[in-house]
Amino acid sequence: MIVAANFKTNKTRKETVEYLKELEKIDFGNVKVAVFPPQSALIEDELIGAQNAYPTMSGAYTGEIGLEQLNEFNIKRILIGHSERRHILGESQEFIAKKFDFFKNNNFEIFYCIGEPLEIRKKGIEAVVEYLKGQLIGIDLEYEKLIVAYEPVWAIGTGVSAKLEQIQETHKEIRKFIKRPILYGGSVKLSNIEDILKIENVDGVLVGSASLDVEVFKEMIKKAKEI
């Protein structure tokens, strides 16, 4: 079971250090835990991953960080393909695949995000599956350090999680072409994490706003341990 926290543009480095100290107080058991803080809060810790980086060692890419900066903190985990980078920041599938290949070739553990907007969901599961497959073009689905996170765009940051039946149906379809771990993300909360984790083909969760409270996140890890 995997429980990951995406802080997005929240928390300072000091706050992240304190957060990790709190996490150290509990036994994760068989739960794999990952934390993705903002770039300015990156620190050297086995739980830490980068929310983003440019596919380069270094260079003239103002506002970005590259492998050189990640190496300073011994970071070998990255989040790629998140809907906010696709839809807000305009990352194309071609660029996302280029980024995937770069970090794959540098032996990173890659949390790769896919998810459909509401207008696609309304068309039914077949349309959803075709849309998700489009987000996998150029991605090595056999990569041993790949973890896929299914996050319906309409459920991210809205407080509205997909219905359990929708999660079950979609993960079942994704499993047909992905054998690596599949996480669910999209308004995961303490009140619904247990039910979500009990769904077949759900191997964990990627938690957004609910993870900002370390006490809540600790309880989520405890619930995952019990399943």
Side-chain angles (χ1 to χ4, degrees), residues 11 27 39 42 113 116 155 173 179 207:
K11 295 196 181 296
D27 176 18
Q39 310 294 50
L42 292 178
C113 301
E116 82 285 356
E173 292 298 320
K179 305 306 178 186
V207 188

Side-chain angles (χ1 to χ4, degrees), residues 116-148:
E116 82 285 356
L118 186 57
E119 61 266 25
I120 299 297
R121 170 55 65 175
K122 287 180 176 179
K123 293 180 181 180
I125 188 63
E126 290 185 3
V128 170
V129 171
E130 286 307 305
Y131 188 90
L132 298 181
K133 284 183 176 179
Q135 295 183 324
L136 295 170
I137 294 173
I139 304 302
D140 180 6
L141 302 182
E142 302 298 322
Y143 180 47
E144 62 180 9
K145 291 189 175 183
L146 168 65
I147 296 170
V148 173

Side-chain angles (χ1 to χ4, degrees), residues 26-40:
I26 64 171
D27 176 18
F28 297 161
N30 62 344
V31 178
K32 178 186 182 70
V33 177
V35 177
F36 295 91
Q39 310 294 50
S40 62

Side-chain angles (χ1 to χ4, degrees), residues 23-211:
L23 285 188
E24 291 172 359
K25 294 179 180 180
I26 64 171
D27 176 18
F28 297 161
N30 62 344
V31 178
K32 178 186 182 70
V33 177
V35 177
F36 295 91
Q39 310 294 50
S40 62
L42 292 178
I43 57 176
E44 186 167 355
D45 189 284
E46 63 180 6
L47 300 184
I48 293 292
Q51 291 179 17
N52 177 58
Y54 202 83
T56 185
M57 173 60 74
S58 58
Y61 304 99
T62 300
E64 295 282 353
I65 63 172
L67 190 59
E68 182 177 69
Q69 287 75 41
L70 297 181
N71 285 344
E72 179 181 11
F73 300 105
N74 198 30
I75 291 172
K76 299 295 288 185
R77 173 183 292 134
I78 191 168
L79 199 63
I80 292 177
H82 194 281
S83 65
E84 290 161 1
R85 297 207 62 85
R86 293 178 187 268
H87 298 291
I88 298 175
L89 298 168
E91 290 192 1
S92 67
Q93 184 59 32
E94 182 181 9
F95 178 68
I96 289 169
K98 176 182 176 181
K99 187 183 294 186
F100 183 95
D101 280 345
F102 179 85
F103 289 101
K104 168 194 165 185
N105 291 336
N106 282 280
N107 202 35
F108 271 62
E109 180 178 67
I110 299 175
F111 282 62
Y112 186 78
C113 301
I114 58 175
E116 82 285 356
L118 186 57
E119 61 266 25
I120 299 297
R121 170 55 65 175
K122 287 180 176 179
K123 293 180 181 180
I125 188 63
E126 290 185 3
V128 170
V129 171
E130 286 307 305
Y131 188 90
L132 298 181
K133 284 183 176 179
Q135 295 183 324
L136 295 170
I137 294 173
I139 304 302
D140 180 6
L141 302 182
E142 302 298 322
Y143 180 47
E144 62 180 9
K145 291 189 175 183
L146 168 65
I147 296 170
V148 173
Y150 166 62
E151 296 190 297
V153 178
W154 47 273
I156 297 175
T158 63
V160 179
S161 179
K163 295 178 181 178
L164 298 179
E165 295 79 9
Q166 291 174 315
I167 299 172
Q168 182 177 29
E169 180 182 45
T170 309
H171 276 245
K172 180 180 179 180
E173 292 298 320
I174 296 172
R175 179 63 71 202
K176 291 178 181 179
F177 47 91
I178 293 176
K179 305 306 178 186
R180 303 298 304 153
I182 307 170
L183 314 184
Y184 172 75
S187 295
V188 178
K189 298 169 283 198
L190 191 56
S191 60
N192 64 17
I193 186 173
E194 190 171 356
D195 289 335
I196 291 172
L197 290 177
K198 287 180 178 178
I199 297 173
E200 187 177 3
N201 296 312
V202 173
D203 302 306
V205 288
L206 179 57
V207 188
S209 58
S211 71

